[in-house]
Amino acid sequence: VYVARRQGNGIMDGAIIMLNNHDTDTLSVTLSVNCDSFTDWSGQTLVNILNPDETAIVSSDGCATIKAPNRGYSIWILQRE
């Protein structure tokens, strides 16, 4: 699993990408999405733009659980965007 958060461009607030190289399993990770120099996403809802039915709530401490399908990836943005 590889996870990275991309900084926004001043209009959009960036994204989180998760890569899953496992042959058979959808994998999930719980991580802090609030990093230095990034917008605080605490209390926000994230949505997987590749499967909009998948959402993740960012807790008050900045943690969220996201997932990606086997041998695939997911891209998470703020639901309001």
Side-chain angles (χ1 to χ4, degrees):
V1 171
Y2 172 81
V3 179
R5 181 170 172 188
R6 181 186 184 283
Q7 186 83 299
N9 62 4
I11 298 168
M12 302 291 281
D13 206 13
I16 297 171
I17 185 168
M18 179 177 172
L19 307 175
N20 176 5
N21 200 33
H22 195 278
D23 286 330
T24 58
D25 294 342
T26 293
L27 298 178
S28 63
V29 294
T30 300
L31 67 155
S32 174
V33 300
N34 292 334
C35 308
D36 291 341
S37 302
F38 284 80
T39 304
D40 185 343
W41 285 358
S42 298
Q44 300 292 319
T45 300
L46 305 178
V47 61
N48 178 2
I49 63 173
L50 302 175
N51 182 355
D53 291 333
E54 292 180 353
T55 60
I57 305 296
V58 181
S59 65
S60 61
D61 67 354
C63 291
T65 300
I66 61 174
K67 63 183 178 178
N70 60 305
R71 305 288 291 166
Y73 61 97
S74 56
I75 301 171
W76 299 82
I77 64 169
L78 291 175
Q79 191 172 47
R80 68 176 190 241
E81 294 182 355

